[in-house]
Amino acid sequence: MATKHYVVGDSEVQKLWSKRVQTEALLNTQIGKFLGDDDKSLGCIETSTTKESGDRVTTTLRMRLTGAGVTELQPLEGNEEALVTYNDNVVINEIGHAVRRHKGISDQRIPWSVGMQNNDALVDWWAERLDKWAFNHLCGYVKETDTRYTGFNATIAPSTGRHIWCSTDHTTDASLDSDDIFALTHLDRAREIATTGSSSGHPRIRPIKAAMAGGGYGDMYVAFLHPTQVTQLRRSTSQWTDIQNSLLQGGYIKENPIFNGALGVYNKVVLHESEFCTPGLDSLSDVSNTRRAVFCGAQALTVAFGKGYSASKGKITEETFDYDREAGQSLLSVSGMKKTQFNSVDYGTIVLSSY
């Protein structure tokens, strides 16, 4: 256990010190705007564990019927089709963190509230942890095995047919070279796979329903790009200005969560930037000169919270020690997250690896 003390000689103890502590605060999570309690959201929040006891949620996918049906003079009896269903589940567990400070003269020496900064630091920690959970799963970052960083569910590598390499001649992250940079054509490939299921016959990836100008909803996908991939697009794509301007045209509402903070829209794919997009992998080792973007549709993630908790609500507690001379603050959440997968096929994600 360590307690932070500010003493006379510390550089922070100055007579003229800014009243505002400069922090790189995460105002909200990147993934939070895409979470919802219906199956039209990118991250579907299962609500059963917020109302009932249990630490595991099972979800079921019903596949589409594929039979031809019958026509004149053909009997229905004997030609029925059995439903095909698959299950997936997400485990929840407890995660928390805490900070501790000396309250007496240490607080007096500092012209800003250490207690408030402790509180804000915990909120920022929780926001960043949620994003790390999400992108470790979305990107299939199987190197991370500490479940505190994977939402208490093991990460799963991109399934067959759900991984695109931004290359004409390479099909592993480790083999990508400087010619294999991110381009809009790879988003076209991902959207084609999403809307057709590809030759693999996988389930199609459903788009996300997004509110449009003038009312109603439109079908959109979301792609998260690492900042280096965004830079590649800006340098190599003459359409970049048009992509950004498309947010102001075509009936899109910037205030709608799916468009808020977006880089632009291309081919009905909303582009977002995220520093949490993971490196590529060679087995369980990082390929440092690659990044994994991820193309997402509805129900790409499954999220669950325990009773009294949510994405925006953790339990913050303050305790005092040593006759009220020291104070500690803690944040606690009961939650879990994982990439949605049915029958060993990623349900709502396509990973795009580039150099």
Side-chain angles (χ1 to χ4, degrees):
M1 186 276 292
T3 302
K4 174 64 178 175
H5 288 267
Y6 289 99
V7 297
V8 174
D10 284 349
S11 59
E12 292 90 347
V13 183
Q14 301 183 29
K15 303 304 180 184
L16 299 175
W17 187 264
S18 171
K19 295 294 184 182
R20 296 186 60 185
V21 178
Q22 299 299 314
T23 61
E24 296 180 358
L26 298 173
L27 298 179
N28 48 46
T29 64
Q30 292 182 0
I31 202 65
K33 69 184 73 173
F34 300 100
L35 302 181
D37 57 5
D38 58 64
D39 61 7
K40 299 171 184 168
S41 303
L42 187 155
C44 184
I45 300 175
E46 292 291 338
T47 59
S48 57
T49 48
T50 63
K51 303 172 184 177
E52 303 171 8
S53 299
D55 67 350
R56 182 186 300 264
V57 181
T58 299
T59 57
T60 301
L61 171 68
R62 173 184 53 80
M63 302 298 288
R64 297 172 184 264
L65 296 176
T66 60
V70 301
T71 187
E72 184 180 8
L73 302 180
Q74 294 178 320
L76 273 172
E77 187 173 348
N79 286 300
E80 300 90 350
E81 182 177 353
L83 288 180
V84 176
T85 59
Y86 298 104
N87 293 328
D88 194 17
N89 59 71
V90 59
V91 173
I92 65 174
N93 208 331
E94 178 181 304
I95 187 166
H97 199 25
V99 289
R100 188 163 168 170
R101 77 185 198 277
H102 185 78
K103 292 177 63 177
I105 188 61
S106 180
D107 272 0
Q108 182 69 30
R109 291 186 178 118
I110 305 298
W112 37 266
S113 171
V114 181
M116 181 178 295
Q117 291 303 313
N118 281 349
N119 181 86
D120 291 348
L122 287 171
V123 172
D124 291 348
W125 172 85
W126 175 231
E128 183 171 342
R129 183 57 54 90
L130 272 176
D131 281 330
K132 285 186 176 180
W133 284 5
F135 285 93
N136 281 338
H137 279 287
L138 292 174
C139 297
Y141 192 60
V142 294
K143 176 185 175 181
E144 184 56 77
T145 58
D146 186 338
T147 60
R148 292 173 297 178
Y149 291 90
T150 66
F152 304 109
N153 294 268
T155 53
I156 308 171
S159 59
T160 302
R162 300 298 205 206
H163 196 166
I164 292 174
W165 287 270
C166 300
S167 173
T168 58
D169 54 353
H170 297 135
T171 56
T172 66
D173 291 352
S175 64
L176 295 174
D177 58 36
S178 58
D179 292 328
D180 304 325
I181 64 173
F182 196 89
L184 293 177
T185 54
H186 307 305
L187 291 176
D188 291 328
R189 290 172 61 194
R191 188 171 181 275
E192 178 184 336
I193 292 171
T195 55
T196 65
S198 77
S199 58
S200 302
H202 292 326
R204 292 175 298 209
I205 295 177
R206 294 187 299 109
I208 299 165
K209 296 294 183 181
M212 311 299 286
Y217 290 83
D219 291 341
M220 307 295 296
Y221 294 98
V222 174
F224 297 100
L225 281 59
H226 189 268
T228 56
Q229 294 169 319
V230 173
T231 299
Q232 289 174 345
L233 278 184
R234 284 178 170 152
R235 290 176 176 174
S236 63
T237 303
S238 60
Q239 299 167 270
W240 184 254
T241 300
D242 294 335
I243 291 171
Q244 293 175 308
N245 288 340
S246 66
L247 275 174
L248 305 176
Q249 303 168 0
Y252 305 135
I253 301 176
K254 291 181 69 175
E255 288 74 19
N256 186 270
I258 193 175
F259 300 119
N260 185 26
L263 300 170
V265 178
Y266 171 76
N267 195 12
K268 292 193 174 181
V269 182
V270 186
L271 309 184
H272 281 267
E273 183 178 55
S274 176
E275 69 272 25
F276 294 105
C277 288
T278 70
L281 287 175
D282 182 12
S283 185
L284 295 180
S285 299
D286 284 345
V287 181
S288 59
N289 58 359
T290 67
R291 283 294 182 272
R292 286 181 169 182
V294 60
F295 175 102
C296 300
Q299 283 184 278
L301 285 171
T302 303
V303 190
F305 296 92
K307 294 179 181 178
Y309 299 93
S310 69
S312 59
K313 182 183 178 182
K315 182 180 179 182
I316 296 180
T317 303
E318 179 163 328
E319 296 283 352
T320 59
F321 311 91
D322 193 21
Y323 298 93
D324 202 30
R325 295 177 69 236
E326 295 187 356
Q329 290 162 281
S330 69
L331 183 147
L332 179 69
S333 179
V334 175
S335 47
M337 182 185 294
K338 76 180 297 289
K339 175 175 65 176
T340 308
Q341 190 179 82
F342 295 105
N343 195 28
S344 300
V345 176
D346 295 344
Y347 185 65
T349 58
I350 299 173
V351 168
L352 303 95
S353 293
S354 68
Y355 183 84

